[in-house]
Each structure stands twice: as C-alpha cells, then as structure tokens.
Amino acid sequence: MGTIVEFQNVWKAFGNNRVLEDFNLQINEGETFTIIGGSGTGKSVALKILLGLLLPEKGNVFFKGHNVIDMSEEALVAMRSKIGMVFQGASLFDSLTVFENVAYPVREHFDYPLEKIEKIVKEKLKLVALEGSEEIYPSDLSGGMKKRVALARAIATDPEVILYDEPTTGLDPSNTNRINELIRNLQKVLKVTSVVVTHDMESAFKISNRIGLLSGRKIAFLGTVNELKTSRNPEIQSFIQGQVDLSL
C-alpha cells in the first residue's frame, strides 16, 4: 500500500503561538492512523491544513501525490469530495432532518437525482445502524446518535479518507465503544483510510493500526499500538497514564 497523505516540514503558528514546527508524517492507504497528544498541541490544526482550510507558513501537504498548498479552490473542492470529516461535537445542521444532513455533502459535490440521493442516504444510515431515522431532527437525537449521523454524512460521498476529530468526546462508555466499533467496521467494509485525532487512549488502542504522538510541535513517536504500549520512554508512558499534558 502506498502513501495517501503526507506532511513535509510543515510549520504553522497563530501569532506568537507556534503550533507545528517541522512537522512530518506519512499515512498509508487503508490504515487507521491515530494522532494523540495533549490539548492545544495542533492535532486538529493538522487536519484543517490537510483539508486546505488553513495554510502553513512553510512546508507541503500531499493528498494522493498532489500538493494541497498549490491547489486552486476548484481542485480543493474536488479533493474534499474524497475526504469525509467527522467534527468534534458532530456539528449537524439543527434546522435540517437527519436525511437532509446526510444528503448535504452529496448535493454539494454531485448533481444526482432525488431517487439516487435517497438510496445513498438509506445505505449510509444502515451502515451506522440508524435505519428509519431520516425524518428526525438533531434536537431529538442522543449524543451517540448524533455522532452516528455525522459518520453517515462523512461517508455519504464514498470518500477515500475519513477524518475523525475527537470522535468519542462527551460520550458514555457504551456509546464510545459503539463509535470505536463503527470506525473499525467502516475501515473494513468501505476500504477507507481513517485518520483519528484523539486524547482518548483506550479508543486509540482499540482502533489504530499505527499511532503518532504529537509533542513539541512535531511527531515525537510513531509506531504500532504494541510499540507504544511497550515504549520505555518516560514521556510516552506518562502520557498514556494521563499524568502529564504534552501541550507544554
């Protein structure tokens, strides 16, 4: 499997606050790659740079060999149709039904007839075990159901990559386990590449093929779940045990 996403020497700051510094990372096609790190370390910023929502001061970001930094707005829109995004907090449109929320990216990127859109929405809701919920509004959904609708929306365009920004934040253990299982299942069923940003170590251990620890504005550790668990680096072990915040 080849590299589908690559960050090369990326630098990003907000005023005097430097978030990423000489940030390098390669993500392989078909894997679930998880970025862990303390609050404010730049995990979500990396995702926004990949999507072309933020520009770095230096460096390059490649999606399937094409440099995101150099893309026109038209090219960015085309690229984003191949990348699904599950935002922290789900970020559903409160005034739209579940059907309209899931259909939204399909209508944004494709000129499909209603019959095809209805078929897509039904298929995606079935994948996240929410059949028959099309006419419900977000205000009537539980937190776990909102996350699953967000997942259905993220896969509505049949993306090649799904980005998850803190997918289990705010969920109880039962719903956290359900979301973890869905992430793993969607990777297998849809053959997608998954990039997960989280500080939830239990989730990271369950879903990841590889994990990168973001500390000191760059990837300080890169390896498998077992390699992370057995690392003798005291900084890594302290983070795993929740004893320190690596944002410093």
Side-chain angles (χ1 to χ4, degrees):
M1 293 183 291
T3 299
I4 191 167
V5 171
E6 182 173 6
F7 293 81
Q8 290 184 351
N9 310 115
V10 170
W11 294 63
K12 181 62 184 175
F14 298 95
N16 294 324
N17 179 27
R18 184 158 297 287
V19 180
L20 300 176
E21 188 173 289
D22 201 21
F23 179 83
N24 291 279
L25 177 63
Q26 289 184 333
I27 297 170
N28 299 321
E29 191 175 0
E31 73 173 334
T32 295
F33 187 93
T34 301
I35 304 174
I36 60 172
S39 299
T41 51
K43 303 185 300 295
S44 298
V45 171
L47 298 188
K48 290 176 181 176
I49 290 174
L50 170 59
L51 286 167
L53 299 175
L54 290 174
L55 282 174
E57 288 83 50
K58 289 195 290 186
N60 296 292
V61 182
F62 294 92
F63 177 73
K64 299 184 69 177
H66 299 283
N67 195 344
V68 177
I69 310 303
D70 296 333
M71 285 184 183
S72 64
E73 190 60 37
E74 184 179 2
L76 282 172
V77 170
M79 179 195 73
R80 289 169 188 152
S81 72
K82 300 173 183 175
I83 301 177
M85 179 78 189
V86 180
F87 296 93
Q88 186 175 350
S91 297
L92 300 178
F93 298 107
D94 292 334
S95 61
L96 301 181
T97 63
V98 167
F99 175 88
E100 294 295 339
N101 267 282
V102 178
Y104 187 84
V106 181
R107 288 175 164 153
E108 282 286 294
H109 293 290
F110 306 106
D111 187 23
Y112 290 159
L114 179 59
E115 184 179 339
K116 183 166 184 175
I117 294 174
E118 289 175 341
K119 183 172 182 286
I120 290 170
V121 172
K122 187 174 182 179
E123 286 175 351
K124 303 316 180 189
L125 287 174
K126 185 176 181 180
L127 279 172
V128 298
L130 281 175
E131 303 98 314
S133 64
E134 287 89 341
E135 298 310 311
I136 300 175
Y137 283 88
S139 59
D140 294 320
L141 299 174
S142 67
M145 292 173 75
K146 287 178 181 178
K147 291 276 188 174
R148 284 188 279 152
V149 173
L151 267 172
R153 182 177 64 184
I155 61 176
T157 59
D158 291 324
E160 297 175 49
V161 175
I162 305 176
L163 308 180
Y164 298 88
D165 190 0
E166 302 285 2
T168 59
T169 294
L171 298 182
D172 59 41
S174 176
N175 276 308
T176 293
N177 287 332
R178 173 172 260 174
I179 293 299
N180 288 337
E181 288 300 319
L182 278 171
I183 291 172
R184 293 174 62 182
N185 188 54
L186 290 176
Q187 181 203 15
K188 293 173 185 174
V189 172
L190 302 178
K191 311 296 183 188
V192 295
T193 303
S194 302
V195 184
V196 184
V197 156
T198 188
H199 62 270
D200 182 342
M201 289 310 305
E202 189 174 343
S203 292
F205 289 154
K206 285 181 178 178
I207 64 176
S208 309
N209 298 117
R210 290 192 304 147
I211 295 177
L213 171 63
L214 182 51
S215 175
R217 306 180 185 90
K218 61 186 67 178
I219 296 294
F221 168 88
L222 184 64
T224 64
V225 170
N226 188 58
E227 287 169 343
L228 181 68
K229 285 181 175 180
T230 57
S231 170
R232 296 186 179 182
N233 184 314
E235 182 184 44
I236 292 171
Q237 286 305 316
S238 292
F239 179 76
I240 291 174
Q241 295 162 23
Q243 295 175 353
V244 296
D245 184 345
L246 294 181
S247 62
L248 302 178

